Amino acid sequence: AQTVTQSQPEMSVQEAETVTLSCTYDTSESDYYLFWYKQPPSRQMILVIRQEAYKQQNATENRFSVNFQKAAKSFSLKISDSQLGDAAMYFCAYRIIQGAQKLVFGQGTRLTINP
Amino acid sequence: DTGVSQDPRHKITKRGQNVTFRCDPISEHNRLYWYRQTLGQGPEFLTYFQNEAQLEKSRLLSDRFSAERPKGSFSTLEIQRTEQGDSAMYLCASSLGGHRNEQFFGPGTRLTVL
């Protein structure tokens, strides 16, 4: 069974600094997608960034980038120039290419931005 | 594009009562998912529809749970004889399917069973 593990229940960072959130996963599939979702307090979950496993190049979306290490099954999220609006729960998620394509989520990391 | 909507946003009920939640997906999306999120945890998959067909159900979906998507548009999730352990946020997501299949989430329905 596929599992996703986020070992940091909480993280904090000073505004304008850089923070890295960790994620590891377990799968026997060779092709899959990985995601980072953001869930602000009392607001809906939104997609931050996605990575396709067959692509070696790490995905980047503005201030958000990932470090994808396929052999190590590691998928970390780096947030540069942290802003107050980045404060949220961050979930790492995985899904396979075929079938229902259901998302398997980690336990989440609560990110606090200190002004 | 008005996004995925869910109703109600909050529901408080007494143990043993039945509750029903509704999800309206993005209009052209043919896939619809239900997830459950308990406090401090990530969402867990419950069930999935492609158009009106329910194609997969999680073992989390006990016999007290039933989901429908009668015309391939909105979906309902009913919980019969609610238990305190059913207290959670119920999330709906929809997507177009295909290789990329980005799932868009609704705001969720928070259920509290007293």
Side-chain angles (χ1 to χ4, degrees):
Chain A
Q2 296 92 3
T3 58
V4 177
T5 302
Q6 294 178 248
S7 58
Q8 305 155 314
E10 296 183 357
M11 292 282 285
S12 64
V13 64
Q14 291 295 124
E15 193 176 2
E17 297 295 309
T18 295
V19 64
T20 298
L21 308 184
S22 301
C23 173
T24 58
Y25 59 95
D26 188 24
T27 183
S28 57
E29 301 288 333
S30 60
D31 198 12
Y32 46 88
Y33 277 93
L34 295 163
F35 306 85
W36 280 97
Y37 279 88
K38 171 184 178 181
Q39 189 177 41
S42 301
R43 293 179 60 187
Q44 61 207 80
M45 194 166 312
I46 58 173
L47 178 65
V48 174
I49 197 165
R50 79 162 58 80
Q51 174 78 43
E52 298 168 45
Y54 69 88
K55 290 187 176 179
Q56 293 186 343
Q57 186 173 6
N58 288 323
T60 298
E61 289 286 344
N62 301 314
R63 299 183 294 108
F64 298 87
S65 61
V66 299
N67 183 5
F68 173 47
Q69 302 290 328
K70 190 172 184 179
K73 297 180 180 174
S74 169
F75 182 61
S76 61
L77 174 70
K78 185 172 81 172
I79 306 174
S80 303
D81 185 26
S82 297
Q83 300 176 0
L84 294 177
D86 294 335
M89 284 292 291
Y90 285 81
F91 292 98
C92 178
Y94 157 101
R95 71 162 176 85
I96 62 173
I97 302 298
Q98 304 301 327
Q101 300 177 337
K102 60 195 174 193
L103 292 165
V104 178
F105 287 89
Q107 305 93 321
T109 297
R110 182 176 302 280
L111 178 64
T112 302
I113 312 296
N114 300 313
Chain B
D1 178 4
T2 57
V4 179
S5 62
Q6 292 187 245
D7 184 69
R9 296 289 306 276
H10 303 274
K11 178 71 176 178
I12 299 175
T13 191
K14 294 182 178 179
R15 188 177 54 180
Q17 297 295 305
N18 299 343
V19 295
T20 300
F21 311 141
R22 176 178 171 126
C23 171
D24 286 89
I26 294 171
S27 58
E28 64 268 26
H29 285 185
N30 59 357
R31 292 191 176 211
L32 188 145
Y33 300 81
W34 285 98
Y35 295 85
R36 182 172 71 185
Q37 185 179 19
T38 53
L39 203 59
Q41 299 296 316
E44 295 174 290
F45 170 78
L46 290 179
T47 190
Y48 149 68
F49 290 85
Q50 182 156 337
N51 299 312
E52 66 274 11
Q54 187 175 20
L55 297 184
E56 188 167 333
K57 294 193 291 186
S58 162
R59 286 174 293 178
L60 293 175
L61 215 65
S62 75
D63 291 345
R64 297 184 297 106
F65 288 71
S66 63
E68 294 183 344
R69 195 182 182 197
K71 296 182 180 179
S73 57
F74 72 92
S75 175
T76 58
L77 178 67
E78 180 184 16
I79 309 174
Q80 296 182 328
R81 304 180 304 281
T82 52
E83 302 173 355
Q84 288 185 325
D86 297 332
S87 296
M89 176 76 85
Y90 291 84
L91 297 171
C92 176
S94 71
S95 73
L96 278 171
H99 195 69
R100 290 175 65 83
N101 191 28
E102 180 177 343
Q103 294 182 28
F104 293 83
F105 283 82
T109 294
R110 182 169 295 284
L111 173 66
T112 302
V113 181
L114 302 177

